Amino acid sequence: MTNAKGNNLTYAGVNWPGHGDAMIPEGLQYASVSDIVAKIKSIGMNTIRLTWAVQMVDDILDHGVDVEINEIRTSLNTVLGVENGTTVFEAVMTNNPSFTPNITRLQVFDAIAAECAKQQIYVHLDNHVSKAGWCCTEDDGNGWFDEKHFDVEKWRRALSFMAAHVSSDAGYESPKSRTWSINARLQGKGESWPTLVSMGLRNELRKSKSWFDGGLWPEWYDNMTAAADAVHKVNPELLIFFSGTDYDTYLNPIFTGKPMGGNRVFNKDELAYANKIVLEVHDYDADSTNCTQKQRDLTKDSFGALDRSTPGTKSEFPLVMSEWGFNQTSNQYTEPYATCLREILPEQRLRAMKPSFTPSQISYSDFTESVEDYPQHVPEKIQPLEPLRYLEIPEAVAQRKTAGEAFLEKTELQSLVEWKLYSVQPPPRPPFLPKKAINAQHVQRSPLTNLQENSAPSAPVSPNSSPRILPLSKAITTLCTLKGVGPATASLILSCYDPTTVPFFSDELFRWLHWEDTDTQSNNGSKKRRKNGGDGQGWERKIKYTAKEYFSVFEKTTALRERLSEESGKNFRAVDVERAALGIKRRDGLGLLESVVEEGCETAGGDDDDDDDDDGKNVSPAEGDSAKRDPAGQRESRSKRRKVG
């Protein structure tokens, strides 16, 4: 979010509830409006989230502006009884001598807004409920569109009314309507709200059954966009806050662009208020015990909206955590939930938190899901070759190895090369394909028997144990003597020989494993930082396809396998890491910059030494990837996270 000068704006605020049974912002019987706002400011806050109920507006629009039902005295007496109501009313009046005896509920809101402007505090106006009262449970009738107390038409009407009320020059379409006449009588009240910045459409949408079982996202989309249209129409200056589902803990389909039913996809660029949209999220998961997992969950469900480089994110949005909390009568402030949020939220403000799908942070469950997602994104051209690549050829090589003579048939090598070339989307231009095919035809059999003692170890070893690179280096060097075979193709052959330990040097795997690199060596040996937050360069990183780069892939793959095995107690193969990287890339959908680079074996000196093919060149555009790939649909499973009253 930015202010009028283009400077970033970060909300740091508190909730001031005004949606309770009496529909009056609370606490005024204990302190004045000015004292409460001053206290909020004194602790470093710059915003209040002022909540209100549709019922307050219904009473105005259905009965009139100046009728008794709207006065705070009547509200307090109705809710608390005459004796208690009178006591509280008198205390409110004593603390706030500027209030008149007939002050209405809406006028109290106006007074708070005016004081916030005086003390330079932003105001965010939040529609919390329809029927006034404490929030929230699944069966309170306030949680979902057209439930018992959630009249959608009245909700939109109330949003329009409040958006107009807080603007000094807003109005309604029909001057003949009762709404217009009431608005005209309230004209100028918007002058009391100069620091109002935003409006929340609805607090904590929820349903008694999981959204993916009830197909609730189509309803969410239709109703929330219509409500936003109504607000924007009468007050185009307001930022509009969209809450998610599941008590506003789940926003993922909004920023990942997942289908919401029919032709519905939340594409902000198609909305008139695209530059006014802010997402809000709530978190009351006080049972959290692991900060790393907490960070991953938040990124997947909501915080991924902040950074388009997060795997799966299609559109960036500003995000505000508008509610969180814990039991303040216990020591919960020292427990993981509170301490984690104290770490995570400042990091988010600085946009410094790594996405949870990075190799160092990805969880066992997310890793497994990425592997399982891979088959959904196999290019059509290589679908017939997939069984050969991952099952038939490795099994055939394993049988031959057992028999004492491991090798690849010429047709198998041709199939692997074709699979490698067409695994890029879009595939390379046809003229490049025959060259590789011709090169493969020079070999009747590619012997692997002599590589058995030189291949990578079959059991995991410590990531710090560099001697394991030596046998792998010998195997790569041997295979690079074949015409048209560089480190990437050699690694593909070795992966069929030992799929447990040896990864295939794919573009996606290399770029994903190096995602978190922070610096690189320049030509003169000095370190320099890359423009996109590190040497990782995301999916845009150029690759030289040298043996040195491949050994880095091998080390990082082994380290990731060992970490996941230790955390989960399960075994992971190098081929699983390869497929996970492909799944993550293709779900990410960001695409790659064009990368046409040379492939060749690296000399002892570290320089590229390209093998010549029949034309004296060995340029393999297939090793790069300039494609934009469609994101996958991701399995949804949300656990309810409820607030406790």
Side-chain angles (χ1 to χ4, degrees), residues 461-476:
V461 294
S462 169
N464 298 321
S465 180
S466 58
R468 66 185 171 182
I469 291 297
L470 182 59
L472 182 62
S473 175
K474 293 179 180 179
I476 291 289

Side-chain angles (χ1 to χ4, degrees), residues 283 285-298 303 321 324 326 332-348 353:
D283 189 272
D285 190 18
D287 294 331
S288 299
T289 58
N290 185 296
C291 200
T292 300
Q293 187 60 47
K294 180 68 179 174
Q295 186 168 300
R296 290 170 180 159
D297 290 343
L298 285 171
F303 284 3
M321 181 174 281
W324 59 277
F326 49 84
Q332 280 193 352
Y333 71 95
T334 65
E335 294 177 358
Y337 167 75
T339 57
C340 284
L341 287 185
R342 283 202 295 273
E343 294 176 10
I344 293 171
L345 293 179
E347 289 178 346
Q348 283 296 333
M353 190 178 77

Side-chain angles (χ1 to χ4, degrees), residues 64-316:
V65 180
D66 301 322
V67 297
E68 188 176 327
I69 193 174
N70 297 316
E71 297 176 3
I72 69 170
R73 184 204 307 265
T74 303
S75 294
L76 291 169
N77 288 345
T78 300
V79 173
L80 303 175
V82 174
E83 182 177 353
N84 291 333
T86 299
T87 300
V88 172
F89 174 75
E90 290 176 349
V92 170
M93 298 301 289
T94 299
N95 288 323
N96 298 273
S98 63
F99 287 4
T100 64
N102 297 323
I103 189 171
T104 65
R105 296 171 296 206
L106 188 58
Q107 287 172 336
V108 174
F109 280 80
D110 292 337
I112 290 173
E115 187 62 34
C116 285
K118 182 179 178 181
Q119 299 196 37
Q120 299 184 338
I121 296 291
Y122 297 117
V123 179
H124 169 77
L125 199 54
D126 171 74
N127 174 234
H128 218 69
V129 293
S130 290
K131 183 179 184 298
W134 179 87
C135 178
C136 304
T137 63
E138 290 179 347
D139 58 358
D140 60 11
N142 263 321
W144 196 256
F145 311 105
D146 286 323
E147 286 188 343
K148 181 179 179 180
H149 301 303
F150 195 161
D151 185 311
V152 170
E153 291 299 322
K154 289 187 174 181
W155 168 59
R156 284 203 294 264
R157 179 183 73 166
L159 288 171
S160 295
F161 175 87
M162 292 300 288
H165 175 70
V166 300
S167 174
S168 59
D169 58 359
Y172 290 87
E173 286 186 347
S174 174
K176 297 180 180 179
S177 70
R178 179 180 180 83
T179 304
W180 177 271
S181 64
I182 289 174
N183 183 61
R185 294 172 68 185
L186 294 171
Q187 188 132 16
K189 291 298 182 182
E191 296 172 359
S192 301
W193 295 73
T195 57
L196 177 74
V197 178
S198 52
M199 177 180 285
L201 299 177
R202 189 68 174 197
N203 173 72
E204 294 198 352
L205 290 164
R206 57 202 176 277
K207 191 79 170 177
S208 58
K209 57 183 178 180
S210 299
W211 70 266
F212 49 87
D213 290 332
L216 304 184
W217 278 104
E219 293 181 63
W220 180 94
Y221 180 90
D222 292 345
N223 286 291
M224 293 294 277
T225 55
D229 288 340
V231 169
H232 186 68
K233 189 170 188 176
V234 299
N235 196 334
E237 296 303 315
L238 285 176
L239 298 180
I240 303 173
F241 277 45
F242 282 75
S243 59
T245 59
D246 207 2
Y247 290 82
D248 195 18
T249 62
Y250 190 62
L251 300 143
N252 180 279
I254 302 173
F255 59 84
T256 59
K258 292 179 182 176
M260 294 183 175
N263 296 322
R264 301 173 184 85
V265 174
F266 196 86
N267 184 349
K268 67 177 180 179
D269 294 333
E270 296 177 352
L271 302 172
Y273 41 86
N275 66 340
K276 300 293 185 180
I277 299 173
V278 180
L279 304 185
E280 64 173 312
V281 65
H282 293 179
D283 189 272
Y284 287 92
D285 190 18
D287 294 331
S288 299
T289 58
N290 185 296
C291 200
T292 300
Q293 187 60 47
K294 180 68 179 174
Q295 186 168 300
R296 290 170 180 159
D297 290 343
L298 285 171
T299 299
K300 187 175 184 180
D301 295 349
S302 56
F303 284 3
L306 289 169
D307 188 350
R308 195 167 182 260
S309 68
T310 303
T313 297
K314 300 292 288 184
S315 299
E316 285 185 354

Side-chain angles (χ1 to χ4, degrees), residues 292 296 354 357-362 512 516 560 563 567:
T292 300
R296 290 170 180 159
K354 303 288 187 188
F357 278 81
T358 54
S360 69
Q361 295 188 10
I362 192 168
W512 180 58
E516 299 164 282
L560 176 59
R563 177 177 71 80
E567 292 177 1

Side-chain angles (χ1 to χ4, degrees), residues 359 503 508-517 552-554 556-557 560 577 581:
E508 292 89 344
L509 181 61
F510 178 86
R511 288 170 170 135
W512 180 58
L513 288 174
H514 292 81
W515 193 276
E516 299 164 282
D517 289 0
S552 175
V553 169
F554 174 77
K556 289 177 179 289
T557 298
L560 176 59
V577 180

